[in-house]
Amino acid sequence: MEWETVIGLEIHAQLATKSKIFSGSATAYGAEPNTQANLVDLGYPGVLPVLNREVVRMAAKFGLAVGATVAKRSVFARKNYFYPDLPKGYQISQYELPIVQAGKLEIVLDDGARKTVGITRAHLEEDAGKSLHEDFQGFSGIDLNRAGTPLLEIVSEPDMRSAKEAVAYMKRIHTLVRYLEICDGNMQEGSFRCDANVSVRPKGQEKYGTRCELKNLNSFRFIEKAINHEVARQIDVIEGGGTIRQETRLYDPDKDETRPLRSKEEANDYRYFPDPDLLPVVIEQSFIDDVRATLPELPDQKAARFVEQHGLSPYDAGTLSASREVGDYYEAVVAALGEPHAKLAANWVMGDLSAALNKDGLEITDSRIGAAGLAALLNRIVDETISGKIAKEVFEAMWGEGQSADAIIDARGLKQITDSGAIEKVIDEVIAANPKQLGDYRSGKDKLFGFFVGQVMKVSGGKANPAQVNDLLKAKLQG
Amino acid sequence: MSLTRHDVENIARLARLALTPADMASLSDSLPRILTFVEQLGAAQTAAVEPMAHPLEGQSQRLRSDTVTETDAHERYQQNAARVEAGLYLVPKVIE
Amino acid sequence: MHTLTLAELSNGIKSRRFSSVDVTRHFLDRIERLNPALNAFITVTADQALAQAAAADQAIAAGKGGPLTGVPIAHKDIFCTDGVLTTCASKMLSNFVSPYDATVVRKLKEAGVVMLGKTNMDEFAMGSSNETSWYGPVKNPWDLTRVPGGSSGGSAAAVAARIAPAATGTDTGGSIRQPAALTALTGVKPTYGRVSRYGMIAYASSLDQGGVLTLNAEDAALLLTAMSGFDERDSTSVDLPVPDYTATLNQPLKGLKVGILKEFFGQGLEASTESLVREALKVYEQLGATLVEVSLPNLPLSVPTYYVVAPAECSSNLSRFDGVRFGYSCDSPKDLLDLYTRSRGEGFGAEVKRRIMTGTYVLSAGYYDAYYIKAQKVRQLISDDFRRAFAQVDLLAGPTAPTTAFGLGAKVDDPITMYLNDIYTIGANLAGLPALSLPCGFSDGLPVGLQLIGPHFAEAKLLNAAHQYQQQTEWHKRVPAGYES
C-alpha cells in the first residue's frame, strides 16, 4: 500500500525580551541556578502576574508577518498540571482566544516548488523551568531561571506531507522570527523548539490517521530524521496488523529512535479556565498600526526587490533573502561595489563564500571575510586588476591568512598584466614555441585558438588580461 | 449526583491529594451533596448569557514595560524550601 | 484607652496625651492577658510593634506624622508580612516566613501604622466560623461558646474584645462582613480592584478583596483611605484616584434612595434579626432616606454559583503548595507523586481539601460546561440584577447574616448548612460590589448586623451612610462583658 504522511508542527519560539512575560526578572541565558527566579516566577503565595507589553508587541508583529488576524481581544487561561518545573501547578497560556489567529506561510521546496502552509494560531505562554537529572542522592535538581520566559507557540495546520516539507516550514519560521527580531533562534539554548504531530494514512484517504506527538526536535537535522523514523514505525505497526496509539513520543538522537513518554501516567486533564489574575488583553487598532509600521522588510519582499533592483534571478534572490544575515551581508557587498555589479556579488556570496563557510561550519556573521573585505576583492575584478580566476586564489588566501585582497595581490604579484607590449612578448614566445599548431590554425583549425589562449595564460602565470590576450592573439595568429 | 469511590479517587489523583480513610469517608458523603446543591443552577435560563469571568467588565489587561526590576535573592527565598542543594530545589528523581 | 477608636487614639498620640509606645504596650498587654481564651492571634509581633511604635513617636516628635502614625492594628494572617510568619492558618504554611510585604501591609507601614500581630482565620479563608483553622477555633468575645464568624474571625474577635483597635480582613464570600455582624463591628469589603491583592494569599482570585474590621465607620474610612489604590503589581487593581473617605462621612442622607432587598427577607432569616434590621432601616428613613423594595430574582442562586466559582479558582490557586519551594513538605517522600500527594494531603485541612476536590471536579473534562461555564453565566445574571437595581437606588440594604453567632461545632458536620451562612454576603463578591456590615442591635445579647451594598466604587457613600447611622445609635459602642477593663 502507498502511504501518505501528514505532519503538523508546534514551534515554541522564546521571545527576545529583557524581562519575563509576567515578572521583572531577567531572561538572560546561562545564569547560575535560580538567580533569575523571583517571587512571581517561583509562584510564591500572594504574588500576581503582570503582562509585559513587549511580548504583546512581538506576537502582533509575528501575526502581521504571516497575514494572520491579530485578535483585538485575547484571553489568558490556566493549564493545570503538576510538574516540578512548573512552580504554580499551572501554566499561564492562551487557550480559546489566542492573540494570533489564522495565518499562512509560503515555503519553497528543494525542487523550487512552492507550497502554502496554514498557521492555525500562535499564542503566548510562559516557559517552564528545567529539571536537572544529575544525581543528588536520588533527587533531581530544579532550576527555575527559565520559568516565566515568554514563549510564542506557533501551531501549523497538518499541511505538510513529508519530513522535508516540515524542515522547510520550520526553517522558514526560523528565518521569519529572526527577521522580525522577536526570537534569537538559538536552538542549542532552546530558544527555538519544535514538536511534531505525525500520522500516516493510505494515499487517497481523506480521514487523518491517529497521530503521535514527537517532542524534543531541537535541530533541523533531528526533525527530519525523527519524522522519517516515526513514519516508518507507524507504517510498520499498521502493516503488521497493529494500531497506532495516540501518545507523546520522545526522539532520542543518540539512538535515532522515538520512544513513548509518560506512558504510565493517565491521560492529562488540564482543566483550562480563564486566569482570574489577568484581564482580557485588548489591542487597539492604533497599536496594530504602530507595530505594522515597525515591520522590517520580509523575506519575500526582499527577494522581489533583489530581482527588480539588482536584476538577480528569482532563484538567487530567494537564496540570498532566506536568512536575514545572508541578505544583509550581500547588500553590504553590493553597497560597496555598486548595483551594476550585484550579480557578481551574488555569485560570490552564494558560491565561494558559502562554500568556505560550510567547510568551516561557520555562520555568515562569523565569516573570516567580512562584507567590506569581499567587496574590496570584487572591486579588483571590476577594475581589472585581477581576473576572476586569480580572485579565487586571492579569496582562499584571504580566508586562510586574514589579510586584505590588495595586500595579497601585492605580495604575490598577482596584478593583472595589461601592458600590451608585455602581452605581445608572451604571445610571440608562445607562437615561436608551437610552429606546428600555428600551421594547423592557419590552415583552418580555428579550434586551436583556445590552445593558444591557454598557453599564453599559463606562461603569464594567469595574470595576462584575458580580453587583451584575445585581441592581440587573434591579430598575431593571422600573421 | 452520585460519585463512586473510584470517581473520588480520580479527582484526588488529579488534585494530587493523598486522602486518609476519614477524608475518603467525609468526601464520599459531602461531595455528591455539594454537587447536587450546585446543580440547582441548571434551572437558570442562561441561553443568551455570556459567562462572566471577572467582576469588573470592560476593563482590560494593563501592560508593563519590558524592564528588569528584580534582583537575585535566591538564598533568601530558598530558606523556605525543604530540600535545596547547589542553588537547586530538590525533588525525588523525575523519570521521563 | 482600649475602648478608644482608631481616630481617638490617633488624636491622642498626635496631641501627646499618650505615646504610640504607650498605646502599643497597652494592647500588647491585653493580648497577652485576653488572647489565650479567644485564640484570636496566631502570631504576636511584640518586639517589632514596639520598635515601630518608637519610630512613630519619633516621627511625631519631628512633626512628621500622618493621620495613622503610631496607631496599632492587627493583620489577618493571609497577608504576607516580610520576615514574619504568614500561615493562612494552615499546617501547609505553618513554617512559612514571607520574604516580602503584601501591598496592603506595605501601605499601612508607610502610613506609620504599628502591627501588633497576625490574626487567626479559617484555613486559607475557607470557612464561615473560624473553625477550620489549623491553630484551633477562635471564640466570640460576646459568648465564648460561640463562633465569631469567618473567615476573618480572629480579626473580628480581636477588635471586638478591644485587644486590637482595628484589623485587616479579606472577604471572598462574606469573610469580613459576616464576622463583623457576629461581633458588633463595622466591616467593609471594598469594590473588587479597589485594594491591591498583591501579597494577599489567594483563595478565589476573582472574588477576594481586602478590607477592614473596625469599631465604627470613621475608623474604616481612615484605614481604607490609606490601604486603597492602584498597584502596578496587581493587574486586577483599578487605576482610579482614592478619595479621602473621611471627608464625606458627614454628608446628610436626605434624598438617599435605599433599596430593601426582597430576597434577603425570606425563609431562613431569624425573626429577631429581621426585626432589628427593619428597625435600622427606619433610622435611615428618619435620616431622610427613602426606602423602596427591590427584587433581584437571581440572587438566591448566589450560594450555588459561589460554590462552583470559588472552589474552581481555589483548586488551581492552591496547586503551588507542593512541598518543593515553600511550606509543609512530607517526610521522606518515596517518589515525586508521593511528595506531592502526601505534602498536600497532610498539609491541608478537611475543608480545604473538600474545596480543592470540588473545584477540580467542576473544571474537569466533561463537567466544565455544565458546572463552571453555567456558574459564570448565572454570575452574569446576578451581576445584571444588581446593575438594574442600582439604576433605581443608591444603596441596597438587608441583613448581613441570617442568624446571630451560632455555637462552636454546631455546623461543622454539614458543609451546606455552613455555606448558607453566606447567603446574603456572596452576591456582592460575585458582582464585585462594595459592601459593609454595621451593628444594628442585639438579640439575646448577641450582635446583629445590617448590610449595605453599593454600586462599584461607592465606598464613600457606604461609609457616609454607616457613619450617619452611627451618629444616631450606640450599638457600635457596646463592649462585650469582661472586656471593658
Side-chain angles (χ1 to χ4, degrees):
Chain A
M1 187 177 313
E2 210 182 329
W3 296 93
E4 183 176 49
T5 304
V6 175
I7 304 161
L9 295 188
E10 291 169 14
I11 292 172
H12 288 86
Q14 273 185 1
L15 296 176
T17 53
K18 294 185 199 75
S19 66
K20 291 187 178 176
I21 180 167
F22 297 119
S23 84
S25 299
T27 55
Y29 179 82
E32 287 299 304
N34 291 308
T35 55
Q36 287 174 175
N38 291 291
L39 296 171
V40 172
D41 321 312
L42 295 171
Y44 248 70
V47 299
L48 297 167
V50 184
L51 183 60
N52 185 336
R53 176 193 313 272
E54 194 60 14
V55 164
V56 177
R57 208 182 59 77
M58 288 179 171
K61 212 171 172 185
F62 177 81
L64 293 176
V66 296
T69 303
V70 177
K72 294 279 168 67
R73 185 172 176 279
S74 61
V75 169
F76 281 99
R78 293 183 182 177
K79 179 180 182 179
N80 293 285
Y81 64 97
F82 287 86
Y83 208 66
D85 63 12
L86 186 70
K88 298 185 295 300
Y90 58 84
Q91 179 192 32
I92 305 177
S93 181
Q94 295 187 312
Y95 186 53
E96 282 179 340
L97 292 172
I99 188 162
V100 173
Q101 301 167 5
K104 56 184 187 316
L105 194 64
E106 196 178 58
I107 58 173
V108 184
L109 305 172
D110 284 351
D111 61 3
R114 287 171 178 259
K115 171 168 185 161
T116 299
V117 175
I119 292 172
T120 317
R121 57 186 281 162
H123 64 255
L124 290 168
E125 60 185 27
E126 54 182 346
D127 208 343
K130 285 181 185 166
S131 306
L132 306 173
H133 300 303
E134 65 246 47
D135 201 40
F136 296 94
Q137 285 91 44
F139 284 79
S140 293
I142 307 296
D143 174 8
L144 295 170
N145 278 348
R146 197 178 68 176
T149 299
L151 289 179
L152 186 66
E153 179 172 338
I154 304 159
V155 182
S156 83
E157 293 287 316
D159 283 348
M160 286 149 282
R161 295 290 171 269
S162 69
K164 285 216 180 314
E165 286 185 16
V167 172
Y169 167 79
M170 191 175 167
K171 283 189 170 162
R172 198 69 178 151
I173 294 278
H174 190 250
T175 299
L176 185 63
V177 294
R178 286 182 305 144
Y179 255 82
L180 296 171
E181 294 180 318
I182 62 174
C183 173
D184 68 17
N186 190 326
M187 294 169 82
Q188 234 124 52
E189 293 178 1
S191 308
F192 190 83
R193 323 197 283 268
C194 179
D195 301 337
N197 286 304
V198 178
S199 65
V200 298
R201 61 182 173 188
K203 200 152 186 115
Q205 179 182 304
E206 204 168 313
K207 194 168 164 285
Y208 292 127
T210 304
R211 62 169 201 257
C212 289
E213 187 182 7
L214 300 183
K215 286 221 176 268
N216 235 9
L217 308 177
N218 298 335
S219 84
F220 294 122
R221 204 158 52 86
F222 289 169
I223 181 174
E224 187 166 350
K225 288 175 81 172
I227 290 173
N228 283 332
H229 185 278
E230 176 62 15
V231 167
R233 186 192 71 87
Q234 291 188 10
I235 292 172
D236 266 5
V237 169
I238 299 170
E239 288 185 342
T243 49
I244 301 298
R245 206 153 45 110
Q246 186 167 340
E247 63 188 359
T248 301
R249 298 179 70 87
L250 195 68
Y251 177 66
D252 182 339
D254 297 332
K255 296 182 187 155
D256 187 26
E257 62 172 30
T258 66
R259 60 186 159 81
L261 182 72
R262 293 174 202 162
S263 52
K264 276 185 237 164
E265 233 179 284
E266 82 275 24
N268 269 318
D269 182 346
Y270 291 125
R271 289 159 285 137
Y272 282 100
F273 73 107
D275 191 331
D277 288 334
L278 292 160
L279 299 167
V281 180
V282 173
I283 298 182
E284 308 284 343
Q285 187 58 44
S286 59
F287 183 91
I288 295 178
D289 293 343
D290 286 351
V291 173
R292 198 187 295 279
T294 67
L295 277 185
E297 186 182 40
L298 297 177
D300 288 345
Q301 296 166 328
K302 186 167 284 189
R305 182 166 60 80
F306 288 171
V307 170
E308 178 150 331
Q309 202 176 321
H310 298 171
L312 299 189
S313 72
Y315 181 84
D316 289 356
T319 306
L320 289 169
S321 59
S323 127
R324 186 170 184 161
E325 291 79 7
V326 172
D328 287 350
Y329 187 103
Y330 159 74
E331 290 210 76
V333 176
V334 173
L337 205 55
E339 275 180 17
H341 306 292
K343 177 72 186 157
L344 179 68
N347 288 342
W348 275 82
V349 171
M350 291 185 297
D352 294 72
L353 178 73
S354 166
L357 290 170
N358 275 342
K359 198 165 134 254
D360 288 5
L362 292 175
E363 294 297 320
I364 199 161
T365 43
D366 303 321
S367 173
R368 294 187 206 277
I369 301 176
L374 182 63
L377 170 65
L378 300 188
N379 245 325
R380 292 295 162 263
I381 299 176
V382 171
D383 69 11
E384 302 194 336
T385 306
I386 55 173
S387 66
K389 190 150 175 263
I390 292 290
K392 286 178 189 291
E393 186 187 332
V394 177
F395 179 89
E396 264 180 47
M398 288 168 77
W399 190 264
E401 297 161 21
Q403 280 176 302
S404 75
D406 284 345
I408 290 164
I409 291 166
D410 275 355
R412 300 195 178 186
L414 295 174
K415 198 160 184 273
Q416 191 160 260
I417 303 166
T418 50
D419 170 6
S420 47
I423 295 173
E424 280 180 55
K425 204 173 150 242
V426 175
I427 291 174
D428 290 344
E429 271 174 40
V430 168
I431 290 175
N434 296 286
K436 185 177 176 301
Q437 284 81 351
L438 180 67
D440 290 352
Y441 179 82
R442 287 191 172 159
S443 58
K445 275 197 159 181
D446 287 358
K447 277 186 188 159
L448 282 168
F449 185 70
F451 164 79
F452 283 104
V453 172
Q455 288 300 306
V456 172
M457 293 309 282
K458 191 175 166 192
V459 171
S460 73
K463 290 185 287 182
N465 179 292
Q468 278 176 292
V469 170
N470 259 333
D471 292 349
L472 293 170
L473 190 62
K474 216 164 258 174
K476 293 244 176 199
L477 285 174
Q478 272 156 18
Chain B
M1 185 68 220
S2 69
L3 290 176
T4 63
R5 188 188 168 84
H6 181 68
D7 292 334
V8 177
E9 283 169 350
N10 268 343
I11 306 166
R13 191 170 308 122
L14 263 183
R16 297 292 187 274
L17 287 172
L19 300 180
T20 62
D23 287 333
M24 197 60 208
S26 157
L27 289 166
S28 299
D29 168 61
S30 61
L31 280 187
R33 288 201 288 133
I34 291 166
L35 293 172
T36 303
F37 173 71
V38 302
E39 276 163 14
Q40 59 182 292
L41 295 175
Q45 297 299 312
T46 54
V49 183
E50 279 296 306
M52 177 175 163
H54 203 273
L56 295 174
E57 288 159 282
Q59 298 259 337
S60 60
Q61 177 60 38
R62 197 175 61 81
L63 303 175
R64 43 164 256 280
S65 72
D66 180 27
T67 37
V68 175
T69 54
E70 304 296 315
T71 50
D72 172 30
H74 76 282
E75 283 178 16
R76 180 152 193 228
Y77 300 151
Q78 291 186 345
Q79 284 170 15
N80 279 314
R83 298 167 194 88
V84 173
E85 197 174 312
L88 298 161
Y89 295 95
L90 297 189
V91 297
K93 205 156 184 64
V94 182
I95 300 148
E96 282 192 315
Chain C
M1 185 187 286
H2 51 272
T3 54
L4 298 179
T5 65
L6 213 54
E8 289 161 347
L9 289 171
S10 171
N11 285 335
I13 293 169
K14 219 160 290 145
S15 61
R16 317 263 199 118
R17 259 193 296 135
F18 35 74
S19 69
S20 173
V21 169
D22 295 337
V23 175
T24 301
R25 191 164 279 139
H26 180 76
F27 280 99
L28 288 170
D29 289 347
R30 282 182 69 79
I31 292 170
E32 198 177 337
R33 182 158 57 88
L34 300 169
N35 184 58
L38 293 167
N39 198 25
F41 278 86
I42 291 174
T43 303
V44 179
T45 49
D47 293 345
Q48 183 182 319
L50 288 169
Q52 285 178 335
D57 285 331
Q58 277 181 1
I60 286 165
K64 281 192 289 200
L68 287 169
T69 304
V71 296
I73 71 159
H75 282 300
K76 185 177 182 179
D77 207 16
I78 198 169
F79 289 101
C80 285
T81 40
D82 194 350
V84 174
L85 195 66
T86 299
T87 70
C88 247
S90 180
K91 180 181 178 186
M92 181 57 85
L93 289 179
S94 54
N95 59 359
F96 178 68
V97 177
S98 173
Y100 76 107
D101 273 334
T103 298
V104 162
V105 172
R106 177 180 56 79
K107 283 191 159 212
L108 290 176
K109 221 181 231 180
E110 285 165 6
V113 172
V114 172
M115 178 175 81
L116 294 168
K118 309 287 295 287
T119 60
N120 203 344
M121 54 184 278
D122 279 299
E123 183 181 2
F124 282 103
M126 299 177 201
S128 308
S129 66
N130 216 119
E131 291 168 292
T132 70
S133 169
W134 192 65
Y135 294 88
V138 177
K139 316 290 168 52
N140 190 327
W142 293 94
D143 177 346
L144 294 176
T145 68
R146 292 175 189 269
V147 304
S151 65
S152 310
S155 289
V159 180
R162 272 61 172 179
I163 63 175
T168 55
T170 60
D171 190 316
T172 306
S175 283
I176 289 174
R177 290 161 288 158
Q178 184 253 16
L182 270 45
T183 56
L185 298 178
T186 302
V188 187
K189 178 204 100 72
T191 308
Y192 184 86
R194 178 80 288 187
V195 170
S196 170
R197 293 189 298 115
Y198 187 78
M200 204 175 100
I201 298 175
Y203 158 24
S205 312
S206 78
L207 301 161
D208 294 342
Q209 181 62 198
V212 292
L213 294 105
T214 53
L215 293 178
N216 63 22
E218 186 188 11
D219 284 1
L222 263 173
L223 279 176
L224 285 174
T225 301
M227 272 166 69
S228 304
F230 173 68
D231 181 4
E232 57 179 25
R233 289 184 180 274
D234 176 0
S235 297
T236 62
S237 92
V238 177
D239 196 357
L240 280 179
V242 180
D244 178 355
Y245 295 121
T246 61
T248 45
L249 290 173
N250 289 314
Q251 284 183 355
L253 297 186
K254 196 163 163 44
L256 185 77
K257 276 176 108 176
V258 178
I260 311 298
L261 268 167
K262 179 169 167 255
E263 284 73 17
F264 281 10
F265 289 88
Q267 212 190 349
L269 177 61
E270 225 168 34
S272 54
T273 298
E274 173 168 358
S275 70
L276 286 168
V277 168
R278 288 201 187 275
E279 267 178 52
L281 292 169
K282 281 186 201 144
V283 175
Y284 276 100
E285 272 189 311
Q286 287 155 19
L287 284 164
T290 35
L291 305 182
V292 281
E293 185 169 271
V294 176
S295 172
L296 276 70
N298 294 293
L299 204 52
L301 292 174
S302 295
V303 182
T305 302
Y306 177 88
Y307 278 97
V308 173
V309 174
E313 293 183 6
C314 106
S315 71
S316 176
N317 282 335
L318 271 59
S319 292
R320 69 191 60 202
F321 302 104
D322 59 6
V324 178
R325 295 166 315 287
F326 41 74
Y328 177 78
S329 190
C330 70
D331 279 336
S332 24
K334 67 175 177 11
D335 57 26
L336 184 62
L337 188 66
D338 191 45
L339 171 70
Y340 284 159
T341 58
R342 269 204 301 127
S343 295
R344 293 167 58 77
E346 293 165 14
F348 291 136
E351 184 59 29
V352 172
K353 281 188 249 190
R354 180 161 27 240
R355 295 196 194 186
I356 291 174
M357 291 284 285
T358 307
T360 302
Y361 183 80
V362 300
L363 288 175
S364 64
Y367 301 99
Y368 179 77
D369 287 340
Y371 290 98
Y372 183 76
I373 292 293
K374 184 74 184 185
Q376 296 290 48
K377 287 181 173 179
V378 176
R379 183 177 186 181
Q380 184 67 62
L381 290 178
I382 292 168
S383 180
D384 291 345
D385 277 2
F386 275 112
R387 190 176 310 119
R388 270 191 293 275
F390 286 122
Q392 299 172 49
V393 300
D394 299 310
L395 300 176
L396 291 166
T400 305
T403 66
T404 53
F406 47 92
L408 285 158
K411 298 186 181 182
V412 284
D413 295 330
D414 184 0
I416 291 170
T417 310
M418 186 69 94
Y419 295 173
L420 287 168
N421 276 303
D422 295 331
I423 188 162
Y424 305 138
T425 45
I426 280 174
N429 299 86
L430 291 172
L433 300 167
L436 60 74
S437 178
L438 68 165
C440 69
F442 287 79
S443 166
D444 290 331
L446 293 170
V448 170
L450 167 73
Q451 183 181 203
L452 301 176
I453 305 173
H456 290 139
F457 302 105
E459 285 81 0
K461 183 49 74 187
L462 285 173
L463 290 163
N464 168 215
H467 183 70
Q468 290 305 302
Y469 177 86
Q470 288 173 342
Q471 301 309 297
Q472 307 298 316
T473 57
E474 303 278 310
W475 307 118
H476 61 287
K477 293 185 178 165
R478 284 211 197 169
V479 180
Y483 297 94
E484 300 94 336
S485 59

